[in-house]
Amino acid sequence: MVPDAIEEAVSKITVSVGRERYRVLIGEGLLKQLGKHVRKYLSRKTCAIIADDEVAQLFARRVERNLISTGFHPTLITIPAGEKSKTLTQAGAICDQMIGAGLDRQSFVVGIGGGVIGDISGFVAAIYQRGIPHVQIPGVNTRDGKNLIGAVHHPSLVIDDTDVLKTLPRREFNQAFAEIIKHAVIADAKMFRTLKVARAFWPAAAGETHALQSLIKRNIEIKSKIVAKDERDQTGQRALLNFGHTVGHAIERAGDYRKFLHGEALSLGIVAAGAISIKRAGLSPDQREAIVDLLRQFELPTRLPKNFQREKIFSALKFDKKFKGGKVRFVVTR
Ligand SMILES: NC(=O)c1ccc[n+]([C@@H]2O[C@H](COP(=O)([O-])OP(=O)(O)OC[C@H]3O[C@@H](n4cnc5c(N)ncnc54)[C@H](O)[C@@H]3O)[C@@H](O)[C@H]2O)c1
């Protein structure tokens, strides 16, 4: 697609959270124009590109070449792919490599990858030299539970190139739909109906990613609207985004972050939250069934394997960040 056509086909969203505002660009082929877009928002030269080793093989060289061709001085830092990399030790190791590369307060961070890279590269940007510009919201794991240590550090720019979804393994692609179905349940019945009839989201099948582009745009709008109301997770508004995550995170932990991907554990968590919502919020069994059917439609798990140790889920629940006064708290919907 020629540069001007790429420009026109780009969806632009401005996210405002507290005093912060940043731009999100969504569209095909944006990585080819990365440097040009970054240049508009950041007048800095040196940067760290942080990617996991799987994504680095696919995109890092192209990104590096593009940034160099637009006058930036990037240093590529790769970490092993997967949840196990979201640790303080890994964040520290990345900072050491950035110091070794001579990056300073005038530098910035580019995180390329999934949620793990988004979180750890954002955390590094939040702590390096007391904070430098970045592109996503961070979090790290401690021995006991998920996302218990973190920082709120808003990005300067988010670039969502839908082309990169074409290389995503089907299981990884499907797991993202747990968060999308969660957004539909908590905030958008119309999107719920759209998803029910959707057949063409799988890029390899659709061959193009326009349908995905508007879906991504809608989901960023939903999340940023909720985050804008409760940036620091204090009024309970933002907790809505945790629908399905109480049991979801506990199952992810009980499976040692290996058995289930984040979205697969979340799918099971949404099934549980649906059952609790019938009991505690008057959700109709039909609507709960509709949610379960939609999760199945996107090939997401809705039943625990027979041999899965259920008692490990209960012991993991107390590590949930909503746990208060010895009580497990669930987000429910009527
Ligand atoms: N900060 C937040 O608001 C927030 C929200 C949701 C989830 N998360 C976090 O995100 C993490 C889960 O993210 P994830 O599911 O993306 O996991 P991930 O980052 O580990 O990515 C999953 C796998 O997909 C590969 N991959 C990523 N992009 C690819 C591409 N374009 N092509 C081919 N392969 C690609 C990665 O190399 C990795 O092997 C969890 O740690 C969760 O806590 C954070």
Side-chain angles (χ1 to χ4, degrees), residues 16-17 68-69 79 90 102 105 117 140 157 166 170 174 183 191-192 200 207 213 246 249 255 259 269 292 297 306 318:
S16 308
V17 187
I68 291 168
S69 68
I79 65 172
Q90 185 65 74
R105 285 189 58 65
I117 287 293
V140 290
L157 172 67
K166 291 176 181 162
R170 181 84 189 232
N174 285 344
H183 280 158
M191 181 169 73
F192 190 93
Q213 186 170 331
T246 308
H249 275 158
K259 176 89 180 126
V292 175
Q297 184 189 313
K306 286 219 170 352
K318 63 179 182 294

Side-chain angles (χ1 to χ4, degrees), residues 3-66:
D4 292 348
I6 291 177
E7 202 55 39
E8 270 121 53
V10 173
S11 306
K12 297 187 177 101
I13 308 176
T14 299
V15 174
S16 308
V17 187
R19 281 194 306 279
E20 306 272 346
R21 285 164 63 84
Y22 59 88
R23 181 57 72 88
V24 180
L25 306 178
I26 312 159
E28 286 182 347
L30 286 177
L31 278 189
K32 298 191 192 84
Q33 312 245 315
L34 177 65
K36 197 185 97 192
H37 289 298
V38 172
R39 168 81 44 242
K40 282 193 208 132
Y41 298 91
L42 287 175
S43 55
R44 296 167 175 240
K45 280 204 169 306
T46 56
C47 66
I49 302 173
I50 302 175
D52 66 40
D53 46 22
E54 285 175 27
V55 168
Q57 269 171 29
L58 295 163
F59 306 111
R61 289 287 162 239
R62 197 189 317 176
V63 167
E64 208 176 5
R65 273 199 308 276
N66 179 281

